[in-house]
Amino acid sequence: MTEGANTGEIVDRIHGALLGAAIGDAMGAATELRTREQILERFGGEVTTFVTPPDDTFARGCPPGQVTDDFSQAYRLATAIVVAGGRMDAAAGRAAILDWWEDERFQRFAGPTTAAAVRRLRGEEVEEPFFLYRGGQATNGAAMRIAPVGCVASSADEAIDAAIAVSLPTHDNHLAVAAAAVVAAGVASAIRDGAGTGDRPFSPVAEACRAAAVPATRRAQELTHTVPGASIPARLALALDLAAAAGDVREAAERIADVVGCGLKANEAVPAAVGILAAAPDAMSAIVAAVNAGDDTDTVATIVGALAGAAAGSTAFPSDLAAAVAERNDMDLRALAESLAAVRTTSAAPATAGRDGGR
């Protein structure tokens, strides 16, 4: 177990990462696809709890508190890692996504990259893109579900390699997997060290993400297809600069949404999430800011919630929201956290597959 944190603290931080991701996903499901101004108009102010998703969102028809593809995929990945005894490789990633696809409640949420990859993995005919590079597939689907890797990894290096490995079956380009690796490394750091002090307690986690961005990008370029798109390290640094200059997390989220973006692309969503996290005074404020920033709110809030919860632990979130997530999704996240902690000491960095290794 990690020096400086006892078993109970590790379990609670893993529980916090899972719970924060689930709460962020379920809250952000209602605000997705809107601008901040449209969110305020539609809901009469900021969304600060679970509300019924409007009929013009992907989550239409879902009750308040139900998660979408973001956390449901993370949950399946966590389960697959436990079943594999802590092994985090392409096989675990493939098993997780195929198991997730069997739950018809979530198929309609699948992003374009994930949906095509699942069909390919199932042996179905898939029309491959005619263009040479895969820039259009540099989406945030791998990053949104990657937190369990950070919960099990014992170091940033292991988190980076493992995140790339489990992401390859669906996302085989450097921007998508590097973004996932940044999140995994941030979660691993938060699980190990917890939160900092002061009015911006998540600054150490944000800095861990910054530190991981360059090696994650380099490793991703070695192992996957390099695609055109803005640099994740540069975008992340920009988001952190905007956060540092902002007076509070709400202002930070607004500026980041305007300049960096909070959209489907991995090089928007992950830098945005890290920047919002850096400016937040507590875990719920971080999630609320992400939920109300606009665009791909459920994904950004899922990532923010995972990082904040990994640092602050499960008690950082209101008990009523935790109970609603458990009831409406039939998930025992505490038990899953205990299982992840149990395999944490047995995991080893995987032999990462190269280009198209998971296809």
Side-chain angles (χ1 to χ4, degrees):
M1 197 57 67
T2 305
E3 183 179 352
N6 60 41
T7 302
E9 289 172 329
I10 293 296
V11 171
D12 184 61
R13 290 173 190 169
I14 294 174
H15 185 196
L18 298 174
L19 183 57
I23 289 173
D25 182 18
M27 282 182 61
T31 58
E32 186 180 16
L33 304 179
R34 284 178 160 79
T35 67
R36 176 172 174 79
E37 293 71 25
Q38 290 166 345
I39 291 168
L40 295 174
E41 180 181 0
R42 173 62 177 78
F43 296 99
E46 288 191 330
V47 172
T48 59
T49 189
F50 297 145
V51 298
T52 302
D55 289 339
D56 55 1
T57 60
F58 286 117
R60 60 191 180 279
C62 294
Q66 182 173 312
V67 300
T68 71
D69 57 326
D70 298 68
F71 185 72
S72 59
Q73 287 186 26
Y75 183 85
R76 293 305 200 286
L77 178 57
T79 302
I81 292 170
V82 170
V83 170
R87 190 182 72 249
M88 297 181 289
D89 56 12
R94 186 181 303 111
I97 199 67
L98 290 176
D99 181 54
W100 172 80
W101 189 258
E102 293 302 313
D103 191 333
E104 294 182 355
R105 293 177 300 170
F106 300 115
Q107 290 181 8
R108 65 187 172 95
F109 292 109
T113 305
T114 297
V118 169
R119 291 196 297 271
R120 189 182 299 115
L121 291 170
R122 287 165 57 92
E124 299 175 16
E125 286 285 335
V126 177
E127 183 178 354
E128 299 295 344
F130 67 88
F131 41 84
L132 177 60
Y133 299 113
R134 291 170 166 81
Q137 298 175 354
T139 53
N140 56 31
M144 74 187 189
R145 62 174 181 251
I146 208 65
V149 167
C151 292
V152 173
S154 60
S155 68
D157 286 343
E158 182 183 357
I160 288 170
D161 273 358
I164 293 171
V166 302
S167 299
L168 279 173
T170 56
H171 295 76
D172 63 351
N173 66 84
H174 89 281
L175 289 176
V177 301
V182 166
V183 176
V187 170
S189 173
I191 297 292
R192 182 183 66 241
D193 299 329
T197 58
D199 58 356
R200 295 193 173 191
F202 303 116
S203 292
V205 182
E207 288 304 319
C209 291
R210 187 207 294 264
V214 170
T217 298
R218 184 184 305 116
R219 187 71 170 139
Q221 288 174 323
E222 293 171 354
L223 296 167
T224 71
H225 298 277
T226 297
V227 296
S231 159
I232 288 175
R235 279 265 181 95
L236 199 152
L238 175 58
L240 290 177
D241 286 346
L242 293 169
D248 57 28
V249 68
R250 180 182 297 172
E251 181 184 347
E254 290 178 5
R255 291 184 178 181
I256 289 167
D258 285 343
V259 177
V260 177
C262 295
L264 177 66
K265 289 297 186 71
N267 58 3
E268 286 191 25
V270 169
V274 175
I276 291 169
L277 178 79
D282 57 73
M284 276 307 300
S285 295
I287 288 177
V288 168
V291 164
N292 292 280
D295 207 344
D296 198 358
T297 50
D298 59 338
T299 295
V300 175
T302 296
I303 296 168
V304 167
L307 290 165
S314 64
T315 57
F317 304 105
S319 58
D320 60 328
L321 297 186
V325 163
E327 177 184 351
R328 290 165 195 171
N329 300 283
D330 192 25
M331 294 176 174
D332 188 341
L333 298 185
R334 172 71 186 192
L336 183 56
E338 292 172 349
S339 296
L340 287 170
V343 300
R344 191 169 186 268
T345 55
T346 64
S347 69
T352 309
R355 288 189 179 94
D356 295 325
R359 293 176 75 141

